[in-house]
Amino acid sequence: MVSRDQSAMVAFVDRLNRRSSLSHAECGALLELRGRVSVARANIDIVSPGQRTDHACLVLDGMAGRFGQVANGQRQITALHIVGDMCDLHSIVAPRAGWALQALAPTSIMQVPHEQLLDIAQTYPNVARAFWRDCSVDASVLSQWLVNVGRLDARARLAHLICEMGVRMEEAALGVRTGFILDMSQDQIADALGLTPVHVNRTLKVLREEGVLELSRRFVRILDWELLVVIAEFDPHYLQIEPDAMRRAA
Amino acid sequence: MVSRDQSAMVAFVDRLNRRSSLSHAECGALLELRGRVSVARANIDIVSPGQRTDHACLVLDGMAGRFGQVANGQRQITALHIVGDMCDLHSIVAPRAGWALQALAPTSIMQVPHEQLLDIAQTYPNVARAFWRDCSVDASVLSQWLVNVGRLDARARLAHLICEMGVRMEEAALGVRTGFILDMSQDQIADALGLTPVHVNRTLKVLREEGVLELSRRFVRILDWELLVVIAEFDPHYLQIEPDAMRRAA
DNA sequence: CGACTCATTGAGCGAAGTCAACGTCCGTGG
DNA sequence: CCACGGACGTTGACTTCGCTCAATGAGTCG
């Protein structure tokens, strides 16, 4: 357990360090962060809308999503978080949650107190900058999703999501971009893409028949990455990953 | 000219101050910010995609939007900025622009050097926090747009945009929520909503025939605010405006 | 006046949604 | 160990919202 917690925290610090460069002392301080660990079953709120939080949520295991909801009950996922993501970093500056944070699969979360994060941010302004930068990456992803949902058809949108998650999984050392566990149901994928589950299913079938990818038992295997990138119009720039990783995605 | 520049800067500081509370000294320092003023005609890039900037853009006059683009040439607006908005605040931590920032109408911009902003942020950590918070509000708006584009139909989406801009215009003292200038063409509105211009036109007609609003010569007159809010499923919470303004929107 | 941009309207089409049935996997408890 | 139930995935038939293509109108500026 301890090692699992630790490895997620390492992934988080790596993630920050890949986009901002942190000193040894700064990394060390971040790695000292600790919080209460809680477990959520799939489709259970980790943070409820309107709730005021005093902690940020580090994903230790599983997967989480941010959900918007409309009057007729339909939902839209606005962010997906994998192991090593600090979902709620922005809650430091905006502690009242606007949306639900929910587990997509059985998920463990470490609740890192704002207090600890603020301490580090005050001691190391460079870390504060790294936090802000991390939030701006999330916003960049959000922009890309808006473009996709607004202007791409179902096939391209689905392909784009798979590309993004592949690159992110690889970045977080949770798999390779051509083979990784995407621990979401087709219903949840539909909520991320602004589609219906039925249409996601049909669209997956199309991609399968094109020989681009396979998705079964929540494992994605990409058979033709190059083609998938073309279908998705995927340009990993928006993920703001280090140059190395970006070159490999082209 | 000087007074116009000054009033936009005042609007920006007010905006920050409404969400974070700044001291007199902090406000004073912000009001000292100065930069080169440039003017852009409609549909001309203020910042081009991929460009590395050393300044943030304060809208002095007119209106600007952030544009994403897909392979077939379609565009998606991911953010709208009105007078007093610092469009590019996040460029302080992520100076490479991912998307185009374009004028929607004839627009004046003050290019505020990052250097000045960083100076203030270093001197006053509280201001750094306010900047970060302002970025998180932008992200919150982005989330709401994603939910709208993903899950609302054209009528609700259009109604929502009008509600949002009404409240923002009123907040920035550029009009009242039931009557304001929305300096965008129907083509641009379509790009903001993920629709086609033709469908925006038809949808406007529906709202006009329902007696909810009028939009002509870029002036919006809302005849039935309450109804518009219902149609849009508009809840201004996500704009994170001060309690006063929020109460009035309900 | 003419050229241009922007707004309006019609007719037909197509991508995605809706409704509904059925299949598959898996955990649970008799 | 098997029968049941529930969640998830698959497929078909039909509908609909928004798109495409195209023509025309209205306002504006040189």
Side-chain angles (χ1 to χ4, degrees):
Chain A
M1 276 311 185
V2 169
S3 81
R4 197 256 333 254
D5 299 2
Q6 197 53 32
S7 92
M9 190 61 83
V10 169
F12 171 62
V13 176
D14 280 354
R15 189 189 137 108
L16 290 180
N17 221 344
R18 219 169 285 120
R19 295 173 170 95
S20 312
S21 49
L22 303 176
S23 73
H24 193 71
E26 289 161 346
C27 290
L30 287 166
L31 290 169
E32 293 298 315
L33 289 168
R34 286 292 174 278
R36 203 168 75 77
V37 173
S38 73
V39 176
R41 309 231 319 280
N43 304 311
I44 297 297
D45 277 4
I46 295 167
V47 177
S48 297
Q51 191 180 329
R52 198 176 190 85
T53 58
D54 58 0
H55 58 266
C57 298
L58 177 69
V59 179
L60 301 179
D61 194 53
M63 203 161 165
R66 190 167 310 280
F67 285 79
Q69 194 144 10
V70 298
N72 66 9
Q74 288 184 94
R75 313 194 314 163
Q76 173 69 46
I77 296 180
T78 58
L80 287 174
H81 294 290
I82 62 177
V83 173
D85 284 356
M86 188 78 79
C87 312
D88 261 23
L89 206 45
H90 55 86
S91 69
I92 295 177
V93 289
R96 170 143 282 144
W99 291 277
L101 183 66
Q102 216 174 73
L104 299 173
T107 297
S108 316
I109 294 290
M110 182 187 289
Q111 300 178 349
V112 183
H114 286 165
E115 200 188 334
Q116 287 185 36
L117 293 163
L118 283 167
D119 273 357
I120 295 189
Q122 262 154 26
T123 312
Y124 305 103
N126 195 36
V127 171
R129 192 96 65 81
F131 286 168
W132 182 5
R133 184 155 216 276
D134 198 59
C135 286
S136 95
V137 173
D138 284 348
S140 175
V141 172
L142 206 42
S143 292
Q144 183 66 53
W145 282 34
L146 181 59
V147 173
N148 294 348
V149 172
R151 295 302 189 197
L152 296 183
D153 66 15
R155 176 164 159 270
R157 250 186 267 177
L158 178 54
H160 200 285
L161 180 71
I162 302 292
C163 285
E164 175 179 319
M165 295 315 291
V167 170
R168 287 173 59 185
M169 289 288 178
E170 190 170 291
E171 188 203 355
L174 297 169
V176 291
R177 67 185 59 190
T178 54
F180 57 92
I181 294 169
L182 185 65
D183 211 351
M184 308 170 66
S185 68
Q186 290 183 11
D187 281 39
Q188 291 165 340
I189 293 173
D191 285 337
L193 299 176
L195 297 170
T196 54
V198 174
H199 202 63
V200 166
N201 185 280
R202 286 192 233 275
T203 307
L204 274 170
K205 186 181 178 184
V206 170
L207 291 174
R208 199 185 316 126
E209 287 171 352
E210 289 180 300
V212 183
L213 61 79
E214 286 165 3
L215 168 50
S216 75
R217 349 290 282 21
R218 307 195 164 197
F219 187 84
V220 178
R221 181 183 307 284
I222 297 171
L223 305 170
D224 189 339
W225 173 263
E226 301 296 327
L227 180 52
L228 189 65
V229 164
V230 171
I231 292 170
E233 304 182 14
F234 181 70
D235 171 358
H237 205 81
Y238 74 99
L239 291 170
Q240 297 177 229
I241 301 179
E242 51 169 355
D244 269 357
M246 292 200 38
R247 238 178 284 124
R248 296 185 49 198
Chain B
M1 276 311 186
V2 169
S3 82
R4 196 253 338 248
D5 297 3
Q6 197 53 31
S7 92
M9 190 61 82
V10 169
F12 172 62
V13 176
D14 280 355
R15 188 189 138 108
L16 290 181
N17 222 345
R18 220 170 286 118
R19 296 173 169 95
S20 313
S21 50
L22 303 176
S23 72
H24 193 71
E26 288 161 348
C27 289
L30 287 166
L31 289 169
E32 292 298 316
L33 289 168
R34 286 293 174 278
R36 205 167 74 76
V37 173
S38 72
V39 176
R41 309 231 320 282
N43 304 310
I44 297 297
D45 277 3
I46 295 167
V47 177
S48 298
Q51 190 180 330
R52 198 175 190 85
T53 58
D54 58 1
H55 59 266
C57 298
L58 176 70
V59 180
L60 301 180
D61 194 54
M63 203 163 166
R66 191 166 308 281
F67 285 79
Q69 195 143 8
V70 297
N72 66 9
Q74 286 185 95
R75 312 193 315 162
Q76 174 69 46
I77 295 180
T78 58
L80 287 174
H81 294 290
I82 63 177
V83 172
D85 283 356
M86 190 77 80
C87 313
D88 260 30
L89 205 46
H90 56 86
S91 68
I92 294 176
V93 290
R96 169 144 285 145
W99 291 277
L101 183 66
Q102 216 175 73
L104 299 173
T107 296
S108 317
I109 294 290
M110 182 188 289
Q111 301 179 349
V112 183
H114 287 164
E115 199 188 335
Q116 288 184 36
L117 294 163
L118 283 167
D119 273 357
I120 296 188
Q122 263 154 24
T123 312
Y124 305 103
N126 195 35
V127 172
R129 193 97 65 81
F131 286 168
W132 182 5
R133 185 155 216 277
D134 198 60
C135 286
S136 95
V137 173
D138 284 348
S140 175
V141 172
L142 207 42
S143 293
Q144 184 65 53
W145 282 34
L146 181 58
V147 173
N148 294 348
V149 172
R151 294 301 189 197
L152 296 183
D153 65 16
R155 175 164 159 270
R157 250 186 268 178
L158 179 54
H160 201 283
L161 180 71
I162 303 292
C163 284
E164 174 179 320
M165 294 316 291
V167 170
R168 287 173 60 186
M169 289 289 179
E170 189 171 292
E171 188 205 355
L174 298 168
V176 290
R177 66 186 59 191
T178 55
F180 57 92
I181 294 169
L182 185 65
D183 212 350
M184 307 170 66
S185 68
Q186 291 184 9
D187 281 39
Q188 290 165 341
I189 294 173
D191 285 337
L193 298 176
L195 296 170
T196 54
V198 174
H199 202 64
V200 166
N201 185 279
R202 285 191 233 275
T203 308
L204 273 171
K205 188 180 177 185
V206 169
L207 291 175
R208 200 184 314 126
E209 286 171 353
E210 288 179 301
V212 182
L213 60 79
E214 287 164 2
L215 169 49
S216 75
R217 351 284 290 15
R218 305 196 165 196
F219 187 83
V220 179
R221 181 182 306 284
I222 297 171
L223 306 171
D224 189 340
W225 174 262
E226 300 297 326
L227 180 53
L228 189 64
V229 164
V230 171
I231 292 171
E233 302 182 17
F234 181 71
D235 171 357
H237 206 82
Y238 74 98
L239 290 170
Q240 297 177 228
I241 301 178
E242 51 171 354
D244 270 357
M246 292 200 37
R247 237 178 285 125
R248 299 184 47 198

